[in-house]
């Protein structure tokens, strides 16, 4: 029974505004879950599928990367996980007839929401040069086209292989192996736009670019600081962990320019108390100005230094390096500039300090609110300084907790999806497969766009994702993509990247997490790594969306055979038949995966080693945890302008739009809204409900305009504004990126608001 696609585009974008809510989840979330699941899947399929989410014999939720605990509920998912599952397990289908009816120009005129709602792609499709329509193509011909275009390049570095973070460990390992046998390290990934700043900062300071806490640590913490993260929407299962910590006496400080409902109160639908009353989560809300976090943590560092007995001197002496330089910089911090940078009051910071000093075990959690600024790497290093002072790394109940986004984004990096791989990784890979991997670094996302723009890259291949919508500077990115000779997308669902193509284009439809994966060697499982370094198996249980789909590992294996031919001695056919043979190789190349196949057979999987967490050993250049002393930065907001952050609504998964509501923020029926502090709005003459264009201001003088946004008076921090991504990506300049990590600064965009006639 195929479900009907929704009515045609353009989507009515007529937002209604009711004001922010003060609690998250509860029974209404269950109602939303069931409605969405039923619309996409029907009742029986919805129940069968949702009961397998995150179970030990089921599949890993394709939503976020939050880990599962040991004691699992029958329904171990959240509203937004259910939406992610429903989007994938939908009964709607995109067939060759659909492409016959919708030429490229038509697809390019549709919203991302409409494209996504059409359903699962069922056949490989090819757009020939000069044609305005995708046509069905056989898999053999598709791989032949790839081989022809890759073979025609002057250098392997003219090819780009992008990965989005849903890709399994097995597929990711094969893709990086293929790219390197082909001869390039051009392996940009969504991480470049996401937690790259965390990876850069943590690798330098603690020696490993991953978080140092387990769920158990969170449950045991005395103090949890949640900075720049909206877990009620983006990691709803984290609320259960915060609730558990609170029940054991933890206190929570939220640092955010927005009051986010999920951090105020959690109504746990699994308990009677939760349904009725809920648990208050945040004890202290620091409503910080966008970009003020480095200044805040630096001042806290100074205040800790000035408090008798507050520094863990033994830890600092035994395990750290660079303390003196840091202490000198911290002592120079002053109240006035910190209050200006943060927009906070002195008594609020003093209250935070009191809570910090009262805690023996502190965890700092963060996400995109810290990673997507010019000074993000410095900000996260400052978080590390703060924790090091109190000895809060490598001790139970404390540590760094960068909360990852995509469900396997951390695993993809572990598997070698990285444009700047370590020499040790390349040595192991080359030795195992008998070839000489390229040693020069490849291109990240921003540099890939520049290479396409400048005609230096000619073939773009994406393992999932929606590159043109997720990337910054939409107009520049789209023009760059159109210059490619060939663009290839391995995808489950349609998105804008299929409509903005190179001269030739391929869509290669693939299995998702929920689909049963049967190969010549029998039924397969894949593996993923969560945000806390736990690796476990994932098995889909639904019949695939179409008999013509290939799995991601099969697509890479066949591409490799077509492109590399007999020159490659890698057993690609074996890999495709039995993913266990891929895991045997991963076990020999990637540290921590010894005995991989045996260990994933155990329910719940296994935890990867993490030297700082496990042994207080810091594999950095100095052999110690490094204090750093970067100058404090924060964005200056020119007169009459606002600092815009681009963020997620409750009804989206990155560029996949599930619906037009943002329930917890009280927005309904539209996405073109901009949240502005009422005082700022008054000063700027922006009435609530009026219509405005957002105009980006950047040093290159280019005018970047996002037209037609409804002004919403909202309690965000002074000088700040917020609007949804990806509609606002057009405003983020390609060269406005974080120092060191090169992550687009999509949370710090200077804008002016220009009244426009209509919404
Ligand atoms: N349902 C759902 N789940 C998701 C996703 C999704 O789109 N939908 N996306 C997944 C992915 S890939 C990721 S990376 C994560 C993203 O998870 P989040 O990082 O929670 O996502 P954002 O919506 O970008 O929210 C950023 C938060 O940081 C705050 N913030 C912005 N600027 C600053 C600042 O300068 N300082 C501080 N302290 N706070 C700031 C914002 O107000 C907001 O609360 O979620 C993952 N999970
Ligand atoms: N302005 C602004 N820009 C941002 C951000 C922001 O906060 N503000 N956030 C950034 C962040 S944190 C991230 S992670 C990126 C996200 O960037 P991406 O990961 O590139 O984008 P997604 O929207 O997650 O990709 C969705 C597409 O993935 C495909 N897909 C889904 N499941 C599967 C699967 O199992 N296999 C395959 N092969 N394909 C699948 C579908 O076709 C779907 O349309 O965006 C970044 N861009
Ligand atoms: Mo992300």
């Amino acid at each position: 029974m195929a479900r009907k696609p929704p009515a045609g585009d353009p989507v009515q974008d007529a937002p209604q505004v009711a004001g922010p809510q003060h609690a998250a989840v509860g029974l209404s979330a269950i109602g939303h879950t069931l409605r969405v699941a039923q619309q996409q899947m029907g009742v029986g399929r919805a129940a069968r599928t949702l009961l397998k989410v995150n179970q030990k014999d089921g599949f890993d939720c394709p939503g976020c990367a939050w880990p599962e605990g040991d004691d699992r509920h029958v329904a171990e998912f959240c509203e937004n996980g259910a939406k992610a599952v429903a989007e994938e397990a939908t009964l709607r289908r995109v067939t060759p007839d659909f492409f016959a009816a919708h030429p490229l120009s038509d697809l390019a005129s549709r919203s991302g929401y409409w494209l996504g709602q059409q359903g699962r792609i069922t056949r490989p499709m090819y757009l020939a040069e000069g044609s305005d329509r995708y046509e069905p193509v056989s898999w053999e011909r598709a791989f032949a086209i790839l081989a022809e275009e890759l073979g025609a390049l002057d250098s392997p570095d003219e090819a780009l292989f992008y990965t989005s973070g849903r890709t399994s460990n097995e597929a990711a390992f094969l893709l990086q192996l293929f790219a390197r046998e082909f001869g390039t390290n051009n392996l940009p990934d969504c991480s470049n736009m996401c937690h790259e700043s965390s990876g850069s900062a943590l690798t330098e300071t603690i020696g490993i670019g991953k978080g140092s806490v387990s769920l158990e640590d969170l449950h045991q913490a005395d103090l949890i600081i949640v900075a720049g993260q909206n877990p009620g929407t983006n990691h709803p299962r984290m609320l259960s962990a915060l609730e558990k910590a609170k029940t054991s006496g933890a206190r929570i400080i939220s640092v955010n320019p927005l009051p986010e409902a999920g951090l105020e109160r959690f109504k746990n639908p699994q308990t009677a108390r939760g349904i009725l009353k809920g648990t208050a989560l945040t004890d202290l809300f620091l409503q910080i100005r966008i970009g003020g976090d480095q200044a805040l943590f630096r001042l806290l560092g100074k205040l800790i230094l000035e408090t008798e007995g507050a520094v863990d001197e033994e830890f600092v002496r035994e395990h750290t390096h660079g303390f003196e330089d840091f202490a000198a910089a911290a002592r120079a911090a002053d109240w006035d500039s910190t209050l200006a940078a943060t927009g906070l009051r002195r008594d609020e910071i003093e209250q935070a300090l009191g809570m910090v000093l009262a805690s023996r075990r502190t965890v700092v959690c963060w996400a995109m609110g810290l990673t997507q600024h010019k000074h993000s790497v410095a900000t996260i290093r400052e978080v590390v300084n703060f924790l090091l002072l109190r000895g809060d790394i490598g001790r139970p109940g404390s540590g760094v907790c960068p909360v990852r986004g995509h469900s396997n984004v951390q695993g993809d990096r572990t598997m070698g999806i990285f444009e700047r791989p370590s020499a040790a990784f390349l040595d192991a890979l080359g030795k195992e497969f008998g070839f000489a991997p390229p040693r020069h670094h490849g291109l990240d996302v921003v540099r890939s766009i520049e290479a396409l723009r400048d005609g230096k890259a000619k073939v773009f291949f994406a393992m999932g994702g929606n590159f043109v919508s997720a990337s910054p500077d939409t107009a520049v990115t789209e023009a760059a993509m159109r210059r490619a000779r060939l663009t290839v997308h391995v995808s489950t669902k349609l998105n804008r990247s299929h409509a903005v193509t190179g001269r030739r284009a391929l869509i290669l439809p693939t299995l998702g997490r929920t689909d049963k994966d049967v190969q010549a060697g029998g039924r397969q499982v894949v593996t993923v790594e969560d945000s806390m370094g736990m690796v476990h198996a994932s098995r889909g249980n639904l019949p695939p969306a179409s008999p013509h789909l290939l799995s991601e590992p099969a697509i890479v294996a066949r591409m490799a055979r077509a492109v590399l031919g007999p020159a490659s001695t890698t057993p690609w056919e074996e890999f495709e038949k039995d993913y266990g043979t891929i895991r045997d190789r991963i076990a020999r190349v990637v540290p921590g995966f010894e005995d991989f196949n045996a260990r994933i057979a155990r329910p719940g999987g296994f935890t990867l080693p993490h030297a700082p967490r496990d042994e207080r050993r810091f594999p950095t250049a100095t052999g110690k945890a490094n204090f750093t002393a970067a100058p404090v930065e924060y964005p200056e907001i020119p007169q009459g302008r606002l600092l815009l952050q681009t963020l997620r609504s409750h009804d989206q998964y990155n560029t996949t739009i599930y619906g037009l509501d943002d329930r917890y923020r009280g927005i309904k029926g539209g996405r073109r809204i901009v949240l502005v502090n009422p005082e700022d709005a008054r000063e700027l003459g922006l009435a609530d409900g009026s219509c405005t264009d957002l105009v980006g201001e950047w040093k290159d003088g280019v005018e970047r305009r996002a037209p037609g946004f409804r002004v919403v008076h909202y309690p965000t921090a002074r000088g700040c504004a917020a609007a949804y991504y990806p509609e606002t990506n057009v405003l983020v300049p390609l060269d406005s990126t974080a120092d060191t990590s090169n992550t687009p600064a999509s949370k710090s965009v200077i804008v002016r608001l220009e009244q426009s006639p209509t919404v």
Side-chain angles (χ1 to χ4, degrees), residues 447-466:
R447 295 196 176 97
S448 292
I449 297 166
E450 289 165 353
L452 287 163
R453 178 195 66 194
D454 300 340
K456 292 181 183 152
K458 294 173 180 145
V459 173
F460 175 88
F461 175 97
M463 182 53 88
N466 180 4

Side-chain angles (χ1 to χ4, degrees), residues 441-512:
H441 287 171
L443 303 174
D444 62 12
V445 163
V446 166
R447 295 196 176 97
S448 292
I449 297 166
E450 289 165 353
L452 287 163
R453 178 195 66 194
D454 300 340
K456 292 181 183 152
K458 294 173 180 145
V459 173
F460 175 88
F461 175 97
M463 182 53 88
N466 180 4
F467 190 83
V468 301
S469 292
S471 296
D473 227 345
T474 313
V476 174
T477 296
E478 291 196 349
M481 200 55 98
R482 291 188 205 276
R483 288 200 68 188
R485 288 217 292 243
L486 174 69
T487 49
V488 184
H489 286 89
V490 179
S491 309
T492 51
K493 311 261 312 248
L494 271 187
N495 62 48
R496 182 149 181 91
S497 297
H498 304 118
V500 179
T501 68
R503 269 193 276 169
R504 304 165 91 183
L506 287 165
I507 302 176
L508 306 180
T510 192
L511 300 178

Side-chain angles (χ1 to χ4, degrees), residues 281-465:
L281 294 180
T282 294
D283 296 281
L284 175 66
F285 172 41
L286 297 180
Q287 186 162 34
I288 198 162
R289 262 189 202 200
I290 293 174
D293 304 82
Q294 189 198 3
L296 172 67
F297 281 101
R298 176 65 59 91
L299 184 73
L300 287 172
K302 170 191 168 98
L303 299 174
I304 291 169
L305 284 171
E306 287 173 354
T307 308
E308 179 84 39
V311 175
D312 183 339
E313 281 171 12
E314 190 193 329
F315 176 82
V316 169
R317 199 173 48 244
E318 298 293 318
H319 296 289
T320 71
H321 175 270
F323 173 77
E324 287 310 329
D325 286 348
F326 163 73
R331 286 195 192 99
D334 72 88
W335 277 102
D336 286 348
S337 62
T338 308
L339 298 184
T342 59
L344 298 171
R345 293 191 315 268
R346 185 172 175 135
D347 63 291
E348 292 174 315
I349 298 181
E350 281 169 348
Q351 205 183 332
L353 176 70
M355 291 166 73
V356 169
L357 295 176
S359 164
R360 293 186 46 88
R361 293 172 293 229
T362 300
V363 173
V364 183
C365 302
W366 71 89
M368 298 304 100
L370 293 204
T371 65
Q372 299 175 331
H373 302 282
K374 175 176 182 293
H375 60 310
S376 280
V377 175
T379 299
I380 296 161
R381 286 185 195 154
E382 206 57 45
V383 169
V384 173
N385 287 337
F386 164 80
L387 289 168
L388 291 178
L389 277 179
R390 308 260 304 150
D392 271 325
I393 292 191
R395 179 207 285 159
S398 61
V400 280
C401 184
V403 183
R404 301 278 162 176
H406 266 299
S407 51
N408 197 40
V409 62
Q410 186 160 314
D412 291 344
R413 209 27 98 69
T414 308
M415 291 299 114
I417 300 289
F418 192 25
E419 74 282 357
R420 290 172 287 127
S422 69
F425 179 85
L426 293 179
D427 291 344
L429 191 72
K431 182 159 169 262
E432 178 65 24
F433 292 97
F435 76 110
R439 296 282 162 166
H440 56 284
H441 287 171
L443 303 174
D444 62 12
V445 163
V446 166
R447 295 196 176 97
S448 292
I449 297 166
E450 289 165 353
L452 287 163
R453 178 195 66 194
D454 300 340
K456 292 181 183 152
K458 294 173 180 145
V459 173
F460 175 88
F461 175 97
M463 182 53 88

Side-chain angles (χ1 to χ4, degrees), residues 64 80 194 228-230 233-235 255-258 260 288 290-291 293 367-369 373 405-406 645 647-648 652-654 747:
C64 71
N80 278 346
C194 182
Q229 199 201 339
N230 178 22
T233 285
N234 298 313
H235 306 90
V255 188
N256 203 308
L258 292 173
E260 302 284 27
I288 198 162
I290 293 174
D293 304 82
M368 298 304 100
H373 302 282
H406 266 299
Q645 59 153 323
L647 81 182
R648 293 154 173 81
Q652 72 184 88
Y653 191 92
N654 298 339
K747 295 282 189 280

